[in-house]
Amino acid sequence: GAGVSQSPSNKVTEKGKDVELRCDPISGHTALYWYRQRLGQGLEFLIYFQGNSAPDKSGLPSDRFSAERTGESVSTLTIQRTQQEDSAVYLCASRPPMNTEAFFGQGTRLTVV
Amino acid sequence: AQSVTQLGSHVSVSEGALVLLRCNYSSSVPPYLFWYVQYPNQGLQLLLKYTTGATLVKGINGFEAEFKKSETSFHLTKPSAHMSDAAEYFCAVSPAGGTSYGKLTFGQGTILTVHP
């Protein structure tokens, strides 16, 4: 079956531009996560959507970062006025209800030049 | 609050040798614990998890991990390394209940190199 799909797979943008990253979770998965993985570093938590609860935004590094999720489907992560330090792989994961395993997408590699 | 510490950003073993990747966690509530693997240019894949019950859990590809509450540890082991085990391994913790149920916090990762 279809896994978590992220688009684009690669994005090169100029410093100061806005970017939108998209995540299509597995159908029926109520939880959705965004993580950032900088080169040579671990996974940095950004935001967590859990069903109808208010999202946990505690990991967003600045007000340039925002994320939305429409119901239990698509999520978009928006980075405004991109900076070079935003360059990283952005990973999305989803998890079904009453299950502990999160399934990860392949990530979007963002390069800010 | 929860956090994960993986001791050793790089571990190198010979093919056939024991693999031991260390993970310690901090959690204010009972945790669920996970090991994920990331092969080069691929996404993360679940190796194994501990939720409740038996503290020694077995995963895919011959890996296992033991939850030791007294040591707040969840070390990953494999008796005999294979070349195909070369990858980056991530330990993660999630609260088992409460408002943050399911929120995954990852360690910094350990890159495993296997020498012939």
Side-chain angles (χ1 to χ4, degrees):
Chain A
V4 177
S5 178
Q6 291 188 245
S7 59
S9 55
N10 281 282
K11 175 73 177 178
V12 180
T13 190
E14 292 182 352
K15 177 181 174 181
K17 300 282 189 182
D18 297 353
V19 295
E20 276 193 0
L21 311 181
R22 178 186 171 106
C23 174
D24 285 88
I26 296 171
S27 178
H29 284 200
T30 52
L32 186 145
Y33 311 76
W34 282 99
Y35 291 87
R36 177 168 71 179
Q37 187 175 25
R38 288 180 165 140
L39 187 63
Q41 298 188 22
L43 276 71
E44 177 186 4
F45 169 78
L46 297 178
I47 188 167
Y48 169 41
F49 295 90
Q50 182 180 205
N52 295 320
S53 302
D56 180 339
K57 303 180 180 181
S58 61
L60 295 177
S62 75
D63 59 8
R64 296 188 296 106
F65 287 72
S66 62
E68 294 184 350
R69 186 180 187 193
T70 307
E72 294 183 355
S73 62
V74 173
S75 175
T76 55
L77 176 68
T78 301
I79 308 173
Q80 296 179 310
R81 306 181 301 283
T82 51
Q83 304 295 313
Q84 288 187 330
E85 61 262 29
D86 300 334
S87 296
V89 175
Y90 290 82
L91 292 167
C92 176
S94 69
R95 176 177 59 78
M98 306 308 292
N99 193 313
T100 55
E101 180 178 356
F103 294 81
F104 281 79
Q106 296 292 310
T108 293
R109 183 176 299 278
L110 175 67
T111 304
V112 182
V113 297
Chain B
Q2 52 187 11
S3 65
V4 178
T5 302
Q6 291 184 238
L7 298 176
S9 58
H10 290 79
V11 170
S12 181
V13 300
S14 298
E15 192 174 19
L18 171 71
V19 176
L20 170 60
L21 305 182
R22 299 178 185 274
C23 172
N24 288 86
Y25 69 91
S26 172
S27 179
S28 55
V29 297
Y32 292 155
L33 295 156
F34 307 82
W35 277 98
Y36 281 82
V37 61
Q38 186 176 34
Y39 297 103
N41 301 313
Q42 294 189 28
L44 272 75
Q45 177 184 3
L46 182 69
L47 263 182
L48 50 78
K49 63 181 179 182
Y50 169 79
T51 55
T52 59
T55 56
L56 180 64
V57 292
K58 297 183 185 299
I60 60 172
N61 302 335
F63 284 93
E64 61 183 38
E66 186 171 11
F67 169 54
K68 292 188 176 181
K69 184 178 179 180
S70 62
E71 298 177 8
T72 60
S73 69
F74 192 58
H75 302 329
L76 181 70
T77 60
K78 182 174 180 178
S80 177
H82 193 273
M83 297 295 288
S84 61
D85 295 327
E88 188 162 17
Y89 293 80
F90 293 93
C91 182
V93 63
S94 162
T99 56
S100 293
Y101 172 81
K103 178 180 177 180
L104 281 167
T105 301
F106 284 84
Q108 292 298 301
T110 298
I111 295 173
L112 176 66
T113 303
V114 182
H115 296 288

